[in-house]
């Protein structure tokens, strides 16, 4: 499996985010920090997330994507677009309810040459736990199935605070 990376690009307020390889917890924290900056951008117009080269993605990263969509809808008044061409990832997205919060496209993007890699995050353990907790709360808010799936994990993380 390819090590995970998140590539980002911005052209006139249109952000393109490409998740590559095995996207796990440490990248989820960097992505969450990036979202803080993204939503401070006064020129933000739209967001497109490309998962066409994603081999695997953990629940923390999915929770950060849920946060992205919910905040984008509040700020921009429309759902972001998510590109997903991998059957396993597509099933996961549907199971988690992502087709309710993203416009999901199953055709790959044509040109991503201007993307740069998102830097790694060096968060303290307590801040990382806070962000993991927030990501899973976002997932739980999407539907009842997710709430049941993650309620024990959230309770454990809350107890550790």
């Amino acid at each position: 499996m390819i090590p995970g990376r998140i590539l980002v690009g911005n052209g006139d307020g249109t952000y393109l985010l490409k998740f590559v390889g095995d996207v796990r917890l440490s990248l989820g924290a960097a992505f969450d920090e990036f979202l803080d900056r993204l939503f401070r951008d006064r020129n933000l117009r739209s967001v497109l997330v490309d998962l066409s080269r994603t081999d695997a993605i953990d629940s923390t990263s999915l929770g950060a994507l849920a946060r992205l969509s919910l905040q984008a809808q509040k700020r921009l008044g429309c759902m972001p677009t998510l590109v997903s061409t991998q059957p396993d990832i597509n099933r996961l997205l549907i199971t988690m309810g992502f087709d309710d919060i993203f416009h999901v496209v199953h055709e790959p993007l044509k040109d991503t040459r201007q993307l740069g890699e998102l830097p790694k995050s060096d968060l303290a353990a307590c801040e990382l736990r806070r962000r993991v907790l927030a990501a899973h709360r976002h997932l739980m808010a999407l539907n009842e199935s997710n709430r049941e799936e993650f309620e024990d994990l959230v309770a454990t993380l809350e107890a550790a605070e």
Side-chain angles (χ1 to χ4, degrees), residues 61-152:
S61 300
L62 287 170
L65 280 175
R67 173 185 171 212
L68 164 70
S69 179
L70 299 172
Q71 285 188 296
Q73 288 179 55
K74 268 189 219 173
R75 169 109 183 258
L76 304 171
C78 62
M79 288 192 289
T81 299
L82 189 145
V83 177
S84 178
T85 59
Q86 306 292 335
D88 291 346
I89 300 294
N90 291 344
R91 279 189 295 278
L92 177 63
L93 296 173
I94 289 169
T95 299
M96 291 290 168
F98 274 59
D99 52 335
D100 293 330
I101 62 169
F102 281 95
H103 293 290
V104 180
V105 176
H106 299 289
E107 298 295 321
L109 296 177
K110 301 294 183 211
D111 188 3
T112 58
R113 289 177 290 183
Q114 296 180 332
L115 295 177
E117 188 165 354
L118 193 64
K120 302 279 190 245
S121 174
D122 293 326
L123 292 177
C126 61
E127 178 61 15
L128 182 59
R129 184 173 47 251
R130 186 189 70 74
R131 289 179 184 254
V132 169
L133 180 59
H136 286 85
R137 284 180 178 151
H138 288 297
L139 284 176
M140 288 176 64
L142 294 181
N143 58 47
E144 182 63 23
S145 175
N146 289 358
R147 188 193 64 72
E148 291 173 4
E149 176 76 23
F150 297 111
E151 66 187 343
D152 290 341

Side-chain angles (χ1 to χ4, degrees), residues 6 8 26-27 29-31 33-34 37 116-122:
I6 299 175
V8 296
S26 61
L27 292 175
F31 181 58
E33 289 176 331
F34 171 77
R37 293 189 307 274
E117 188 165 354
L118 193 64
K120 302 279 190 245
S121 174
D122 293 326

